[in-house]
Amino acid sequence: MTVFSPDSLVLNRKLPLWYQVSQSLRASILGRHPTAPLRLPPEDRLAEHYGVSVLTMRQALKELENEGLISRHRRRGTFIEPAARRGAPVQLLGSVDSIVAQQSGETATLLGHGPVPVPAEVAEHFPDLEEVVEFRRLRRDEKTGEPTNWAENAVRPEIAERIDPADLARQPMTKVLRDGAGVRISRITDTVEARLADPETAKLLDVPLLSPILHYTGVVYDETGRAVDVARIRYRGDRFSFTVTVEA
């Protein structure tokens, strides 16, 4: 049977190999000709094609399977899903330390904290819970005193018990979770989107109602793959920039 032939790849040793392979194969799949074969070569041939181990290749294929771009069938092989479409956000890898460094250096005022019913906006991340502990903070520019952003963190109750709220005035939540609460963080997923300021956001950030803001959602996962914290941060549109550097 004729199999799909993916593009070649020059590996960058600074990045995880499985990540580079998955992104290269993803681009080949999404950019394929409509008449191209749907069957992928066997794992060992793909590993040879990319110059990586079979274990690395399996990890890359697992990523694409989770995204719904391919399906894997024992004894039959691996196939591109015919309806596969571009839709998942671009994934960029970094370290927890880099996130802590970027979040540090600002002071925050704790607006309040306590148990609340799981907010509908974060319910998908806490399917096993009815309540979370919410921490609400407001950050201001240290020179001008102008509000820059405000945050709500929904945290698992058993984790929140190990958090000293006073730490959140001088340390980012990521650092408090890792160093204070002892959470072994496996990954963090960030999403940034444009929204309009609701009444509470307009009041806290001192901006007009329905003015543009940037809404950040960050989900922190522990070593078991369980979400332990979901941060929702609203940034003033005139006080926020987002820069990503991609190395060739």
Side-chain angles (χ1 to χ4, degrees):
M1 178 185 293
T2 304
V3 296
F4 179 73
S5 185
D7 297 333
S8 59
L9 170 66
V10 177
L11 294 170
N12 181 338
R13 296 295 167 179
K14 295 181 180 180
L15 297 173
L17 299 181
W18 69 266
Y19 169 72
Q20 296 179 72
V21 171
S22 69
Q23 294 304 302
S24 177
L25 185 51
R26 180 179 186 272
S28 294
I29 290 173
L30 293 174
R32 73 190 188 282
H33 191 276
T35 61
L38 295 178
R39 183 170 184 165
L40 291 178
E43 285 180 352
D44 56 347
R45 284 182 53 196
L46 281 171
E48 183 180 357
H49 173 79
Y50 285 113
V52 298
S53 69
V54 173
L55 186 62
T56 295
M57 195 66 237
R58 285 176 184 166
Q59 190 173 2
L61 291 173
K62 182 63 176 175
E63 184 74 10
L64 298 179
E65 184 180 26
N66 291 340
E67 191 178 329
L69 289 179
I70 63 174
S71 59
R72 309 178 74 189
H73 307 274
R74 191 174 183 180
R75 295 192 179 90
R76 290 182 52 213
T78 302
F79 296 84
I80 298 170
E81 286 296 315
R85 293 289 184 272
R86 186 181 303 275
V90 174
Q91 183 185 107
L92 300 172
L93 295 184
S95 69
V96 172
D97 283 322
S98 68
I99 291 177
V100 169
Q102 290 165 7
Q103 294 175 344
S104 298
E106 293 184 335
T107 57
T109 300
L110 188 64
L111 301 176
H113 71 284
V116 298
V118 176
E121 193 171 357
V122 304
E124 64 178 296
H125 302 293
F126 301 113
D128 57 324
L129 297 180
E130 294 184 358
E131 280 190 343
V132 291
V133 177
E134 192 169 75
F135 296 86
R136 295 159 52 88
R137 292 164 296 146
L138 176 67
R139 290 191 180 94
R140 294 181 179 274
D141 185 288
E142 293 186 354
K143 293 182 179 179
T144 66
E146 187 178 57
T148 59
N149 66 80
W150 80 279
E152 292 175 297
N153 285 80
V155 182
R156 285 186 171 272
E158 69 272 21
I159 302 297
E161 290 178 356
R162 307 202 295 266
I163 293 176
D164 182 351
D167 289 340
L168 294 173
R170 57 184 183 275
Q171 297 177 359
M173 177 62 86
T174 306
K175 181 175 176 60
V176 171
L177 287 170
R178 186 189 64 182
D179 300 342
V183 175
R184 299 185 66 176
I185 298 173
S186 65
R187 71 183 192 278
I188 301 173
T189 301
D190 294 341
T191 304
V192 180
E193 59 185 318
R195 291 193 182 180
L196 300 178
D198 56 41
E200 185 173 24
T201 296
K203 180 179 179 180
L204 287 172
L205 297 186
D206 192 23
V207 296
L209 182 65
L210 300 182
S211 62
I213 63 164
L214 286 171
H215 188 283
Y216 161 93
T217 302
V219 186
V220 177
Y221 297 88
D222 67 11
E223 59 184 344
T224 69
R226 184 183 62 160
V228 296
D229 165 53
V230 179
R232 291 169 292 159
I233 309 177
R234 293 81 166 175
Y235 291 88
R236 283 181 53 147
D238 60 344
R239 296 300 305 272
F240 182 85
S241 63
F242 186 79
T243 302
V244 175
T245 300
V246 179
E247 294 189 1

